Each structure stands twice: as C-alpha cells, then as structure tokens.
Amino acid sequence: MKKYSFMTILAALLIGLSAAQANAATFTDVPSTHWAAKEISYLSDRGIIKGGSNGKYNKDASVTKAQAAAILVRAKKLSLTNVPNPKFSDVPTSHPFYKEIAAAVNAGWFSKGASFQPDNQLKRVEMAKITQLAFGIKGSVPVQWEDMNASYSGNTYITPLLASGITSGYTSTTFNPSAKVTRAQFAVFVARAMNANFRLKVVNYPKRAAADIYYPQFADTTNQHNFSYLNSYFREAGADLVAERNEIMELAQEDDYLGEYYEFVVDYTVPRADLNYISVLFESFEYTGGAHGYEQLFADNYDVKSDSFISLDDLATQYYYEDNVIDRINTQAYAMQSRGQLTFWDGLYSLDEHQYQFYMKPGGFVMFFNPYEYGPYSDSIRQFTMPYSLIR
C-alpha cells in the first residue's frame, strides 16, 4: 500500500477544489436567491452558457439569435467539424458564432434564407420553435390563448413546450409571442428541456368561455394526479361568469341613461400551482349604474393530494392560528393607516366570514378584503401577506 505525505494530499485536494470552482462558475449578477439561479448554474457548470469578461451573466439582457444558436449547439453537443456553409450574407466564416450558426441551421433548428440576422433579439415564439426542434419535445393540451388563434403557426412549437412544463404564458391568458427573451429566461427554457427536474410539475393554460372571458385548466406533467374534477369546476366557473355578464348586459338594455356604460370584466391569475396546492385568483369589475363601479377579488384554493378545495381552516395546522392571523392583519392595517395608505381600518376580530378570502403563493399566503369590508370604498381592495409559519 502506498503512503502519501500530508503535503501531497493537501496539494491534490486544493487542485481538485480549484477545478470544481472553475467548473461551477458563479456570476456577480446572479445571486443564489435569483429565480433562475439553479438553471443558470446547471448550464454554466456544463459549459453551455458563458458570462462576460466583467464576471456577470447579464441575465436581463436579450438573447440574440447567434447566442441562442451557440447555446443550443453546446447543449446538444453538435459537431462543429466540416459543417456545410449556410451562406448567409450576414454570417461570414469570420463571424464569432459562424460554426455554431452553421451547425444549428444544418440541424434544422433555424430556417435557411438569404440572411440570418444574428444580432436580432430572440422572440418567445422563436425560442419555442428552436427549443422544440432541438430537443424533440412532444405533448399537447387544448390551450386557447387570448393573443393567438388556433391557426397561428407558432402553436406547433409552443404547445408541446407548455404541455411539458418547459414554458408558460406571459400572463395567465396570453403567450406574447413577439416579446423578447432574456438570457435568464432562455437559460431556464434550455435547462428545463435538458433536465425534467427543472420543469413545471403542474402547468396551467387558458380556455375561452366567451369573448374576453377565460378560465384556467391544469395538467400534471408528472402524471401523478388527475385534475378532471378541478378542470370541470373551472369550466363551470367560466360558464357562470358568462351568465353573470349576460345578465348585466340585459340590465343595460333597460337603462336608457347609463346602460351604454354598463360593464363586466374579469381576469384571473394563478399565484401557485404545484403538486401540493393550486391557487387561482379572480379579479372582477362591474358597473351597473351609479357613481362608480365595483371591483372585487375571489379565490379558489385546491389541495392536490386530497383532490378538494380548502378553506383557511383546512390549510392551517396550528390550533390558535386565527389569533396569529388577526394580530398580523391588524398590525399591518394600522401601520398602513398611519402612513396614509389606508384612510380607515375598523379592526378585524374574526375570520369566520373570511375563510375563503385568501390565495396562496409559493412562499406564503395573502388575505384580502374587498371594498366596504372594514373600510370605505376609497380604500379599494386591501391585501395582507403572511408566511405559512404563521398558521402551520
């Protein structure tokens, strides 16, 4: 058995540590708390993405088509040897990304043509196309975007990425295909395409109930849960919203003075969707005459494991949680009042009537009170954010 001196062992450890540090590059503008930090680190460790000479990743800068081609070529480990020249007028062989662009075009990820426009900023629909083609992503959900009709050519690439948990909407109901993609966003898309552990476990997508009224639907990308009950519930909710708007429009016909101003608008967001809980928040505004309209929030919170909707009582596990929540809300409300952010707060003493007036986020929950609840209409909707540790 060989014997090694302490100095030899120490030197080996230091060399190994230095190599590990070199591989696991860190960027000064990507703290560990950044939403894309894990994905950026994953790709950086594999040499797929690189930062600038200033030690930054430049996470908020837009990705160019040339950069996107290079990243995907590295991710797929395509050969750069003897690749046919695509003969773009704006990509000479001296271009710094010539080989990567040629390889990406030869692989069929980018279209051939007279020019490549390497410095153009990558759009979301272009991101979807090259990512879907590069990784062969499959999958489908019956999504109906507010800003893209069924015949839009980009759906061929966007829908598989959505169904697989690689991308999501720009908002709950729009994809915004022409929006520019940042370097952080593209890192997340690529990391999710490469490694399923980074993908969204639960995806949500919009369905159209009627003109300008949409409702959410959900799919489990891990195939652990069937959301048929949940989706059926929201289909009915969408129909109810349409019926409510129709009633208001019928009333408008009877109001010769203000009927033309009657309105009913509703939007939704999905603050949380994972394999534990799904939370959907609706915001509606209606005007049916008078000095002003009325806006309100209403939420649905769903326990994935029990396949049931829950109240705050159901979510809480601490016996005296109500006192904690009430004290926190009153403390926040009186502080807001002292700063002039609320004109009046009447004091909260019970949660009995507010068991469903909350929505969930990954890091905490939010209680909300609609106009006229514990304050005047001028204070609008009041929201109070709290950690889960307050009730669990």
Side-chain angles (χ1 to χ4, degrees):
M1 179 178 180
K2 293 184 178 180
K3 294 183 180 180
Y4 298 94
S5 68
F6 171 76
M7 292 304 295
T8 301
I9 295 174
L10 178 60
L13 289 173
L14 290 175
I15 291 173
L17 180 60
S18 297
Q21 289 174 335
N23 290 334
T26 57
F27 303 106
T28 57
D29 61 337
V30 186
S32 60
T33 54
H34 188 268
W35 66 273
K38 291 181 180 180
E39 291 85 349
I40 290 173
S41 178
Y42 174 80
L43 297 183
S44 175
D45 289 348
R46 287 156 179 77
I48 296 170
I49 59 173
K50 300 175 182 179
S53 58
N54 58 0
K56 294 183 177 181
Y57 179 62
N58 300 318
K59 62 185 185 301
D60 298 320
S62 296
V63 178
T64 67
K65 290 182 64 178
Q67 291 168 343
I71 290 170
L72 288 180
V73 166
R74 294 179 198 136
K76 295 298 293 182
K77 299 181 179 179
L78 292 191
S79 173
L80 301 180
T81 304
N82 298 323
V83 179
N85 187 338
K87 298 181 180 180
F88 293 120
S89 61
D90 52 359
V91 186
T93 56
S94 59
H95 190 282
F97 290 120
Y98 161 74
K99 291 184 178 181
E100 289 84 353
I101 292 172
V105 171
N106 187 61
W109 307 338
F110 292 88
S111 302
K112 295 182 179 180
S115 64
F116 184 74
Q117 300 175 321
D119 297 325
N120 276 14
Q121 297 173 336
L122 193 72
K123 299 176 182 179
R124 281 171 58 83
V125 65
E126 294 171 330
M127 172 282 300
K129 178 179 179 179
I130 61 178
T131 305
Q132 191 277 327
L133 291 174
F135 292 94
I137 305 299
K138 306 294 183 182
S140 180
V141 288
V143 59
Q144 293 175 302
W145 298 109
E146 189 174 358
D147 58 348
M148 297 186 300
N149 59 37
S151 61
Y152 179 64
S153 60
N155 287 324
T156 301
Y157 312 106
I158 295 169
T159 303
L161 265 62
L162 173 70
S164 302
I166 293 172
T167 189
S168 59
Y170 193 81
T171 67
S172 295
T173 60
T174 66
F175 186 77
N176 200 357
S178 297
K180 303 300 188 295
V181 178
T182 68
R183 286 168 58 82
Q185 291 168 342
F186 193 60
V188 170
F189 296 139
V190 175
R192 287 176 178 172
M194 292 179 64
N195 189 334
N197 290 328
F198 290 117
R199 298 185 187 185
L200 300 171
K201 303 301 185 291
V202 175
V203 297
N204 67 87
Y205 55 92
K207 292 286 286 184
R208 184 177 180 271
D212 300 324
I213 294 184
Y214 291 78
Y215 60 90
Q217 296 285 268
F218 298 88
D220 177 2
T221 62
T222 69
N223 297 315
Q224 297 181 50
H225 301 278
N226 184 337
F227 290 142
S228 58
Y229 165 64
L230 179 68
N231 289 337
S232 175
Y233 171 87
F234 282 115
R235 279 196 299 272
E236 293 180 10
D240 290 341
L241 291 172
V242 174
E244 185 174 352
R245 186 179 66 179
N246 290 342
E247 289 179 8
I248 290 175
M249 293 302 102
E250 288 176 6
L251 291 175
Q253 300 299 317
E254 302 173 7
D255 189 338
D256 296 331
Y257 182 60
L258 293 173
E260 63 179 304
Y261 301 107
Y262 278 33
E263 187 176 16
F264 179 77
V265 179
V266 61
D267 295 304
Y268 74 85
T269 57
V270 182
R272 177 170 177 174
D274 53 48
L275 293 177
N276 292 311
Y277 298 102
I278 293 173
S279 187
V280 178
L281 179 68
F282 288 92
E283 181 174 4
S284 69
F285 173 83
E286 65 179 69
Y287 176 75
T288 54
H292 54 71
Y294 182 73
E295 62 177 335
Q296 66 173 329
L297 298 179
F298 50 100
D300 293 294
N301 297 287
Y302 174 81
D303 186 323
V304 174
K305 295 179 180 178
S306 66
D307 193 23
S308 61
F309 289 94
I310 59 173
S311 65
L312 195 59
D313 269 349
D314 297 321
L315 178 65
T317 56
Q318 291 188 27
Y319 187 71
Y320 294 106
Y321 88 89
E322 289 193 36
D323 293 338
N324 296 334
V325 172
I326 290 171
D327 288 345
R328 181 66 65 93
I329 290 175
N330 283 329
T331 298
Q332 291 184 30
Y334 289 129
M336 292 169 66
Q337 187 175 357
S338 68
R339 294 192 298 267
Q341 295 172 309
L342 289 179
T343 58
F344 181 75
W345 179 257
D346 198 24
L348 178 66
Y349 300 99
S350 171
L351 296 178
D352 290 349
E353 297 179 0
H354 311 292
Q355 281 293 311
Y356 295 94
Q357 289 182 219
F358 75 99
Y359 60 91
M360 306 172 70
K361 301 169 72 174
F365 67 102
V366 181
M367 293 287 296
F368 59 84
F369 299 90
N370 288 312
Y372 297 123
E373 289 186 303
Y374 304 97
Y377 179 84
S378 59
D379 280 343
S380 189
I381 299 169
R382 283 131 299 152
Q383 302 188 56
F384 303 93
T385 302
M386 287 163 280
Y388 288 117
S389 60
L390 202 66
I391 65 174
R392 298 175 67 82

